[in-house]
Amino acid sequence: MEIYLICLAVAVVGGLMMSRLTKLVNLPAVTAYLVAGLLLGPYCFGALNIPGFGFNSLEQVESLSIITQTALGFIAFTIGNEFRLHQLKSMGARAIVVGIVQAVMATLLVDVVLICLHLAFPEILSIPAAITLGAIASATAPAATLMVVRQYKADGPLTRLLLLVVAIDDAVGLVLFSVSFGIANALENGSINVIGVVVEPILEIVLSLALGTVIGLLLNAVEQFFHSRSKRMAISVAFVMLAVGLSSLEFEVGTVHLGFSLLLVCMMTGTIFCNICKTSEELMARVEGWTVPLNILFFVISGAELDLKILSNPMTLVIGVIYIIARSAGKYLGSYASCKATHCSDSITKHLGITLLPQAGVALGMALTATNLQDGAIVRNVVLFGVLVYELIGPTLTKHSLLLAGEIKPESKTNARTLNTPKPPVNIQ
């Protein structure tokens, strides 16, 4: 236990110290935390096997999944705060169209490019693996996006639409992956499982939204018994943890395997709560402050999880570069076309696609499921390589796009270590 506590302390301090270095070159703090994770991971300082100094193995990193899952739950809960009724009325339909089109376009473009690669070099990549990679390409990481928005206090039409699209992307990606993975299995096994392809993903979305609704209503009801800010914040934290725990449950009903999406459950909890609680804005702000160390740990651990051994395989790098180019083009073209069709402003149309490039946890979860394929190892390694690249450059590209759109204000030069003493009165005589 003491070794894990020392590791976590070193991870937080290391991430914060790295953020001071990256600030000198104007990189987002998210990138600093990921780089700190890489350095503290099992392929750098962790390989020294000094107890408490870094993560000595991938197994040790994976054992901390409760922290990353909890952090992801709070991130999703915060994104749910964006689904306020007044925002949904103004841009809800637009967000749905953009969210669906950009995900589908990324999937189709990666499918086409990788299937062509298979036709040219059949021994490199199978069609089931190509189709599965296409579905994984639809996933966008909400965590990195939200952290960039928070750090630079970005606000405006592009930022608000971006957060809505990222939230919708999870549900769309879930359906696309279930259908594509079902088709891939059918190509390998000669039969298609309709329940797994159609019924289970739809039920997962419905059950996740229903569970999130119930937890959001309960949170609002219980929160009203308390009046102090600290206790109300503690109740909010407890219910997000409850949502994360319940979303991990899986069960069988006959031949149907049922489960929940952590992101959808926590997003729906935040959405319901923020629309029925009059003081939700203040509570959300306090919860965000409480979760700062947790979010740092999330990205440092995510950086430590990145498997650098994949860089030694030239074939993985070749397929990975093709995957990254095709996915990036699909995301950008899909968002550009859908923004044009829904009459978004030129600023949103030009810059939204770039902000949708980050990819992490959801894609890695899909890749883990895909290891059941005959070429599952290739799929996993290509996704790992893509995540490595996207997580390191994605936050910077998101920041740059929001900056060009005019939605990031110049950073304040105030210093929290300086006492806020009142200025002496000016003598006007």
Side-chain angles (χ1 to χ4, degrees), residues 307-317:
D307 190 347
L308 297 184
K309 289 188 298 185
I310 59 173
L311 299 178
S312 63
N313 187 340
M315 195 52 62
T316 297
L317 299 183

Side-chain angles (χ1 to χ4, degrees), residues 411-422:
E411 290 188 80
S412 173
K413 301 299 182 182
T414 57
N415 189 336
R417 298 179 61 85
T418 304
L419 291 175
N420 187 20
T421 54

